[in-house]
Amino acid sequence: MNRPVKEIVAYCQGIFEDLHFTRAREWKAARPGRKVIGYMPVYVPREILHAAGMLPLGILGGGADLEVIHGDAYYQSYICRIPRSTVELAVTGRLDFVDGMLFPSICDVIRNLSGIWQLLFKDKYVRYFDAPQNFRDEVGGVFYSNELREFKEGIEKLSGREITDAEIRRSIAVYNENRLWVNKVYDFRAAFPWKAPSAEVYLLMRAGMVLPAEEHTALMREYLDAAEAENRPMRDNCRVVLTGVFCEQPPLNLIKSLEISGCYIVDDDLLLVSRWLLSEVPTDGDPIENLSQAFLHHSAQTAAKYEADPAQKGSYLIDAIRRRNADGVIFAAPSFCDPALLDQPMMVSRLEALKIPYITMQYAENSGQMQPIREQSGTFADSIKLWGAA
Ligand code: SF4
């Protein structure tokens, strides 16, 4: 296929806006016995689901347009919005085709949501997917390998068949390829941000939360070809890293507003599941051990992962700033998000020591008023351009 950028992006936007997940429903209906497993941010090993012949489906809340009516009854007001809108998706039947849900251990809110899910949907497979906080092979490594094996056994029970090592190896290769192309898109945007606007890149990556990995990889290849061929005007924008956005998603308009107001996003921590592992996972040997080792020793050291060495806290962000030649950082955190907001002061102190400009802002997935965001990021961009610091 050789579609122009506009058509590819419109296709992705259609997937993004479809809160009934029609593409995933169609995938399931295409062959009897197929199963779809939902997962929340931030990371789950999708390779194991893929190896079982299942579709991993990223559930990232209800977005800007979903009216939350029932979801509020399950939570107090002083927490983020993603758990309420996710409950809303479920109790309104939008996830009725999903055979199971994974809740990764990112915070108490998600952990509690896994409990609520078990009470609400007693007939569905639900797993709180735990991750190690200790990265020594003989401690966290043993724990995480066991966690992966237990997860695999649960999925085998659900699918009614064994998942072989050869199948997991093949799926690891599929996701290695997918990550390769995700990284190519990110590299392309960092090199030519005017040719790959962040709202487009975001929609392209969101499509990867719904489509099978092979289809998503083909879509990214197609997008890159089309985006490279397109002539677009270069703006006099500064270059920023957007961070803190790894769980509840910022409204698409927020991403657009940042670029319109003068900030090219040259790296971010959005949709980390597709970039969590930083290097190729080996496709020989024990595939469970390989996934475990990749998580322990080759994964993104963002706010979403415990950093055992205080001296290394923030190094991942500093590396991204340097690698992407960024001028500054925008900390955007969902309101009441403990992992993002508790991390921020530690990151800020690293940036201040290095005199790297930054601003902070908060959002909810349904924040509607973008004018203050545009003013704040526009002033930030201008101050960088005029004085090299905010
Ligand atoms: S937005 Fe933050 S606090 Fe809310 S569920 Fe996600 S990680 Fe937890």
Side-chain angles (χ1 to χ4, degrees):
M1 265 194 285
N2 276 321
R3 292 177 291 184
V5 167
K6 214 171 143 191
E7 262 180 52
I8 300 168
V9 173
Y11 170 72
C12 296
Q13 179 125 15
I15 295 174
F16 168 72
E17 287 170 357
D18 178 11
L19 293 181
H20 288 276
F21 306 98
T22 309
R23 291 301 313 248
R25 286 176 188 272
E26 286 170 356
W27 179 89
K28 181 171 173 170
R31 203 173 298 162
R34 276 184 165 178
K35 289 198 163 46
V36 175
I37 303 292
Y39 62 90
M40 294 208 64
V42 177
Y43 171 77
V44 295
R46 296 181 291 179
E47 291 84 346
I48 293 177
L49 300 171
H50 184 273
M54 298 180 181
L55 179 71
L57 175 68
I59 304 293
L60 295 129
D65 297 327
L66 182 74
E67 193 183 356
V68 173
I69 298 166
H70 312 280
D72 276 340
Y74 293 81
Y75 281 99
Q76 65 274 37
S77 54
Y78 47 88
I79 60 157
C80 56
R81 191 172 187 268
I82 185 171
R84 317 157 198 280
S85 62
T86 304
V87 167
E88 188 74 24
L89 287 175
V91 297
T92 52
R94 290 170 168 97
L95 301 177
D96 55 3
F97 69 105
V98 172
D99 300 281
M101 277 289 284
L102 301 174
F103 298 89
S105 64
I106 175 67
C107 68
D108 285 350
V109 173
I110 296 278
R111 187 173 56 184
N112 294 343
L113 185 57
S114 78
I116 288 176
W117 218 268
Q118 286 175 42
L119 292 173
L120 281 177
F121 307 105
K122 293 195 168 65
D123 56 328
K124 297 279 170 100
Y125 170 84
V126 178
R127 183 167 182 91
Y128 176 66
F129 185 76
D130 214 349
Q133 309 293 318
N134 175 308
F135 303 104
R136 282 168 34 211
D137 290 340
E138 70 280 15
V139 183
V142 172
F143 165 79
Y144 190 57
S145 296
N146 284 339
E147 185 69 16
L148 288 175
R149 286 195 187 94
E150 260 185 34
F151 170 46
K152 174 178 163 272
E153 283 162 21
I155 294 299
E156 284 175 335
K157 215 167 144 195
L158 185 64
S159 68
R161 71 167 181 88
E162 190 198 346
I163 307 168
T164 67
D165 282 359
E167 285 170 325
I168 304 177
R169 286 191 203 103
R170 273 199 295 278
S171 298
I172 286 174
V174 166
Y175 279 94
N176 279 343
E177 175 84 354
N178 186 262
R179 268 190 300 277
L180 178 79
W181 285 90
V182 168
N183 289 331
K184 280 184 193 234
V185 172
Y186 266 66
D187 289 348
F188 178 74
R189 178 181 65 171
F192 309 102
W194 62 96
K195 282 182 171 245
S198 286
E200 283 184 7
V201 170
Y202 178 68
L203 289 171
L204 184 64
M205 297 305 157
R206 276 295 291 255
M209 302 296 106
V210 177
L211 298 174
E214 299 86 340
E215 244 181 83
H216 183 231
T217 301
L219 189 65
M220 289 188 286
R221 297 175 82 130
E222 192 190 358
Y223 173 81
L224 271 185
D225 277 351
E228 268 166 6
E230 201 138 308
N231 267 329
R232 290 167 153 186
M234 188 165 85
R235 288 168 183 260
D236 180 27
N237 281 7
C238 69
R239 299 166 61 87
V240 301
V241 174
L242 177 67
T243 188
V245 285
F246 49 83
C247 184
E248 180 173 322
Q249 301 296 284
L252 185 60
N253 271 342
L254 189 149
I255 297 172
K256 285 183 183 165
S257 295
L258 295 181
E259 288 206 335
I260 290 167
S261 64
C263 298
Y264 279 138
I265 299 167
V266 292
D267 211 337
D268 60 57
D269 56 3
L270 288 158
L271 307 175
L272 274 180
V273 66
S274 50
R275 286 173 299 126
W276 184 268
L277 302 182
L278 299 175
S279 53
E280 267 206 1
V281 182
T283 49
D284 53 1
D286 181 338
I288 293 289
E289 283 304 318
N290 290 342
L291 285 170
S292 171
Q293 286 291 306
F295 183 97
L296 249 58
H297 303 301
H298 309 285
S299 60
Q301 210 66 40
T302 65
K305 186 181 170 198
Y306 177 66
E307 171 58 75
D309 179 0
Q312 284 306 314
K313 190 79 197 164
S315 295
Y316 184 79
L317 178 61
I318 307 288
D319 287 349
I321 295 164
R322 293 193 173 130
R323 194 174 64 251
R324 301 301 194 189
N325 197 19
D327 303 305
V329 174
I330 295 180
F331 290 96
S335 298
F336 303 109
C337 176
D338 279 357
L341 291 167
L342 291 174
D343 223 51
Q344 215 177 81
M346 292 180 269
M347 302 291 119
V348 160
S349 62
R350 293 273 326 251
L351 296 191
E352 285 181 346
L354 295 165
K355 298 197 177 348
I356 297 169
Y358 66 89
I359 52 171
T360 66
M361 57 178 67
Q362 289 185 31
Y363 64 85
E365 60 183 2
N366 64 339
S367 297
Q369 178 56 267
M370 286 300 141
Q371 188 56 22
I373 301 277
R374 275 200 286 272
E375 286 170 5
Q376 192 187 3
S377 53
T379 308
F380 182 55
D382 287 347
S383 65
I384 285 175
K385 278 182 269 175
L386 288 171
W387 302 294

